[in-house]
Amino acid sequence: AFDTSYLGISYEAYVFNPGRAADISNSAGFRGVRNQNNTPLYDSNKAAAFRVAFEPARSLTRFADLLELGVSGYVSDFQGRRATATAPKLGGNGTVQIWSLDWTYEKSFKEKGTLGFRGEAAMAHVSPGRTNRARGQQAWGYYAEAYYSFWPGFLTQSSFGRGFKDPRIVFA
């Protein structure tokens, strides 16, 4: 991971073993592309994930204590189910791609709490592989949340607050 305090840009990148999709099928969808602590079906290819974030309001705390915009992605190859004595090979080799955009905004108000908003939108695509029998899949979704967090001082010494570093009550 890398972070620049001046520009407010941070990024992370990872390379790892791809998903194991020995039993991939149209009914299982993306759940079929899990490694599940097994050796990958092949070792020559790798999967990659990254995230880049930008905090344009780092020096403008009157506007926001946190304003972060991010983009992330995941790309991996997979290999379809191998042929057996009773079933033909399904799927063939293909690619899984997941792309997302996210944002977070927070503003603290002295002794009153923190108001925040966050959201994410993502799209996933599984290629059909190299056979005519398999079908590609796509999915997309989004998430949005507004929240307000605070802590009333009279609860600090109660059983709700005792022993916690920074207790909060959050309405979302």
Side-chain angles (χ1 to χ4, degrees):
F2 175 77
D3 185 17
T4 61
S5 59
Y6 175 72
L7 296 175
I9 298 173
S10 61
Y11 64 88
E12 303 172 60
Y14 303 94
V15 176
F16 43 90
N17 288 330
R20 180 181 173 95
D23 294 317
I24 195 166
S25 69
N26 287 335
S27 62
F30 296 126
R31 291 181 299 274
V33 187
R34 291 188 234 173
N35 200 336
Q36 297 180 345
N37 298 321
N38 294 318
T39 303
L41 293 173
Y42 48 89
D43 295 325
S44 62
N45 295 324
K46 297 294 179 191
F50 74 92
R51 182 169 191 273
V52 177
F54 176 56
E55 295 180 52
R58 259 192 185 180
S59 60
L60 302 173
T61 55
R62 289 180 54 204
F63 172 69
D65 295 309
L66 173 65
L67 175 61
E68 182 180 84
L69 309 170
V71 62
S72 56
Y74 169 86
V75 177
S76 176
D77 290 333
F78 69 85
Q79 189 173 22
R81 184 170 67 208
R82 296 183 187 272
T84 64
T86 59
K89 180 177 180 178
L90 277 181
N93 299 342
T95 303
V96 176
Q97 299 177 24
I98 302 172
W99 306 101
S100 68
L101 300 171
D102 63 85
W103 55 272
T104 302
Y105 170 85
E106 284 186 356
K107 180 63 181 164
S108 293
F109 301 97
K110 294 180 185 178
E111 305 298 321
K112 292 189 175 22
T114 300
L115 177 65
F117 304 94
R118 70 177 64 137
E120 181 173 19
M123 185 202 60
H125 173 76
V126 176
S127 69
R130 295 187 188 115
T131 69
N132 293 339
R133 299 180 62 186
R135 295 185 332 184
Q137 295 182 8
Q138 289 193 37
W140 68 274
Y142 62 91
Y143 165 80
E145 174 183 81
Y147 56 94
Y148 182 71
S149 68
F150 67 99
W151 185 254
F154 70 90
L155 289 175
T156 302
Q157 295 305 315
S158 72
S159 58
F160 295 112
R162 198 174 320 119
F164 292 100
K165 182 179 178 182
D166 184 24
R168 312 294 287 166
I169 295 174
V170 179
F171 290 113

